Amino acid sequence: MKRPTNPNSKGEKIDGLVSIDQKKVKMKKKKNMMRMGGGGLSLEAFAKAKTKSNDYNPALIKKQREFYKNAKYVSKYKKSLKQQSQQTDNYRHVRSQEDENETKKAGEMNQRYKKNKRSSAQSLREVYEQKHEEEEEAKMEREAIVRAKKEERERTESRRKAVREKMLKKTRSGQPVMKYRIQHLLETIQGSTS
C-alpha cells in the first residue's frame, strides 16, 4: 500500500520531480555497487563459474596477459628502431654528400697550404713538448706537496706519542707521575696567554 505523497516530506516526489535527498541516496547506492564490483553475479553466471573445468587458472591468465602486453611493447620498440634506422640512413646519405663537398674543398686548401705544412708540424711538436714539460712540472709539485704533508703528519704523531707516554707514566705503586702532567698544563696555559 502506498503512502500519500506529502510535499513537505523528504525523499518523495514533488509534482513529478525527484527530490535532492533521493538523488543522493541513489548515487550512494550506485557508488557502493561499483565499489563492490558491480551488481553481483546472476545465479546463472555463478553456476557457470562454479562448473568450469579444472583448467581454469587465474595465475596462468595473468601470465598470458603480461605476455601479450610485453609482446605489444616489443613490437612498438621494434617499430621505433626501424624508424630511427631509416632516419639515420637518410642523415648518413645527406652527410656523405656534405663530406664529399668538404673533401673537395679540403683538397683545394691542401694544395694552397703545402708550403706551410712543414712549419706547422714543427710548431705542433713544440707545443706538444711545452705542454709535456708543464705537466711534468705540475706532477713534481704535487709529489712535493704530498711528501711535505706526510712528513708533517709523522712529526706530529711522534710528538703526540711522546706526550702520551709521559702523561701515562706511573710510579712503582701505580700512582700517576704528576711532574709531566703539571708541565703539560703549564705549557698549555702559556700557549693560550701568548
Side-chain angles (χ1 to χ4, degrees), residues 102-119:
E102 287 178 12
T103 53
K104 287 178 185 176
K105 288 179 183 177
E108 294 169 3
M109 298 288 278
N110 197 10
Q111 289 174 358
R112 286 185 199 167
Y113 297 106
K114 266 190 178 178
K115 295 175 186 176
N116 296 335
K117 187 177 182 181
R118 291 181 189 138
S119 61

Side-chain angles (χ1 to χ4, degrees), residues 20-114:
I20 296 171
D21 291 338
Q22 200 169 6
K23 285 183 181 178
K24 285 183 181 178
V25 169
K26 283 184 180 179
M27 286 299 291
K28 282 185 182 179
K29 281 185 181 179
K30 190 174 180 182
K31 283 183 181 178
N32 283 339
M33 292 292 272
M34 293 302 287
R35 184 170 48 82
M36 299 290 282
L41 292 174
S42 65
L43 189 60
E44 187 177 325
F46 180 74
K48 277 185 182 178
K50 281 292 187 181
T51 57
K52 279 188 179 176
S53 65
N54 292 338
D55 297 339
Y56 176 72
N57 188 350
L60 199 92
I61 293 171
K62 187 177 179 183
K63 278 186 182 178
Q64 286 176 340
R65 274 195 201 133
E66 286 181 17
F67 176 77
Y68 288 122
K69 192 195 289 186
N70 290 340
K72 190 167 71 173
Y73 289 143
V74 167
S75 64
K76 277 186 180 179
Y77 176 71
K78 285 182 179 177
K79 283 180 185 177
S80 67
L81 281 180
K82 197 172 185 181
Q83 287 177 349
Q84 285 179 352
S85 66
Q86 288 175 353
Q87 289 174 352
T88 54
D89 288 343
N90 292 340
Y91 175 76
R92 285 182 188 149
H93 180 70
V94 170
R95 190 74 182 142
S96 64
Q97 289 176 348
E98 290 174 358
D99 288 342
E100 287 175 10
N101 293 338
E102 287 178 12
T103 53
K104 287 178 185 176
K105 288 179 183 177
E108 294 169 3
M109 298 288 278
N110 197 10
Q111 289 174 358
R112 286 185 199 167
Y113 297 106
K114 266 190 178 178

Side-chain angles (χ1 to χ4, degrees), residues 125-185:
R125 179 170 282 304
E126 290 172 3
V127 169
Y128 169 76
E129 288 173 356
Q130 185 180 4
K131 189 175 182 181
H132 192 68
E133 287 174 6
E134 289 174 0
E135 287 175 358
E136 284 291 323
E137 289 174 10
K139 188 177 178 183
M140 295 293 280
E141 287 175 11
R142 275 184 265 142
E143 287 176 0
I145 291 170
V146 168
R147 224 178 292 120
K149 283 184 180 179
K150 191 175 181 182
E151 289 172 2
E152 181 66 29
R153 197 178 305 126
E154 287 174 358
R155 268 189 257 129
T156 54
E157 282 180 19
S158 62
R159 201 178 317 125
R160 282 186 192 145
K161 268 188 182 179
V163 170
R164 189 164 187 262
E165 283 178 14
K166 287 181 182 176
M167 294 291 278
L168 294 176
K169 273 194 177 179
K170 295 191 177 186
T171 61
R172 277 189 231 159
S173 59
Q175 297 295 320
V177 177
M178 295 305 289
K179 171 181 157 185
Y180 299 113
R181 293 181 179 218
I182 291 170
Q183 189 179 2
H184 178 68
L185 286 172

